[in-house]
Amino acid sequence: MNTLELVDHGPVIPVIVIDRLADAVPLAQALVAGGVRVLEVTLRTPVALEAIRAMSAVPGAIVGAGTLRNAADARAAHEAGAVFGVSPGYTAELGAACREIGLPLLPGVATASEVMAAQADGLSFLKFFPATAAGGIPMLKALAGPFPDVAFCPTGGISLATAPDFLALPNVKVCGGSWLTPADAVRSGDWARITQLAREAAALPR
C-alpha cells in the first residue's frame, strides 16, 4: 500500500489517543459507522500498541500508528498490525526502517528543508505538522511553488470549521484531526456523538 491510497477513503484521518484499551474497539466501530475508515492511533499511551491490534480486527477499519519517532517504534507498530505509519518529523533512519519492514510512512515536515529530505528518500506525500503553528494555509501555498509534485496532509490545530479551507488547496489531499474523538466523549462512551462527528468529517468537500 502507498500512503497516498489512504486519501481514497475520505477527507479526514482522525488522530486518536487511546488511554483505556476497552475504548479501542467501540471507538473504531463508531468511526467506521460514520464513514471514517482510516484511523491513526498515536503511540502516546501505554496501551497504544494493544489498541492498534484490537482495532485492526474491526471490519472496515484501516489502522495505522502515529507518533513514530524511531526504528523501534516502526517495528513495534508493524508487529501490532499497523498498515501504515505517521511520524511528527522525518529522519533517514526512520525512513529506512519503514522501507525495510514494508510499512508505508506518512512523515511529518514543517519546512522546505524537511520536504527536500523526505523527497530525497522517495517520499512525496507528507504530513504538514504542526499545521496551524507552522504557518497554516499561507505556508502550504508557499510550499506549492517549489514543490509542485508534493502532496500534503496538514495536521495540528485543524477543526471541522477550518478543514474545508485546507482541503480546498490543490496540494492538500486529506487532513488529520483530533476533533473527531473528543476526550470527554471517549471517557463517557458517547459513541453516537463520535459517529456523528465522523459523518460530518466524511461529508467535507474536497
Side-chain angles (χ1 to χ4, degrees):
M1 181 186 69
N2 185 305
T3 51
L4 198 52
E5 295 173 22
L6 299 174
V7 309
D8 295 335
H9 300 287
V12 179
I13 298 175
V15 179
I16 302 167
V17 178
I18 298 286
D19 291 305
R20 301 178 303 196
L21 185 57
D23 295 328
V25 168
L27 176 58
Q29 291 171 332
L31 289 165
V32 171
V36 173
R37 296 181 56 203
V38 179
L39 315 178
E40 176 193 337
V41 180
T42 61
L43 300 187
R44 300 181 191 175
T45 68
V47 302
L49 291 170
E50 293 175 83
I52 288 170
R53 188 172 285 109
M55 295 166 82
S56 295
V58 173
I62 301 168
V63 184
T67 328
L68 301 186
R69 298 190 302 169
N70 50 52
D73 286 344
R75 286 192 289 268
H78 188 248
E79 289 167 6
V83 296
F84 67 94
V86 184
S87 58
Y90 181 70
T91 66
E93 177 212 20
L94 179 60
C98 287
R99 286 193 299 275
E100 182 181 337
I101 61 178
L103 183 68
L105 177 65
L106 177 61
V109 299
T111 68
S113 294
E114 291 167 354
V115 172
M116 290 170 66
Q119 271 201 301
D121 285 343
L123 298 161
S124 58
F125 179 42
L126 312 174
K127 168 182 170 178
F128 178 56
F129 176 82
T132 301
I137 288 171
M139 183 63 168
L140 284 163
K141 287 181 176 178
L143 289 171
F147 303 110
D149 51 345
V150 175
F152 293 96
C153 169
T155 303
I158 298 175
S159 67
L160 180 65
T162 60
D165 296 329
F166 282 91
L167 291 167
L169 298 175
N171 60 344
V172 170
K173 300 299 183 184
V174 64
C175 284
S178 57
W179 82 85
L180 282 78
T181 57
D184 60 333
V186 176
R187 276 195 304 268
S188 64
D190 191 352
W191 310 124
R193 179 182 168 198
I194 288 174
T195 294
Q196 180 56 37
L197 290 168
R199 284 199 186 101
E200 293 169 355
L204 286 170
R206 55 175 177 164

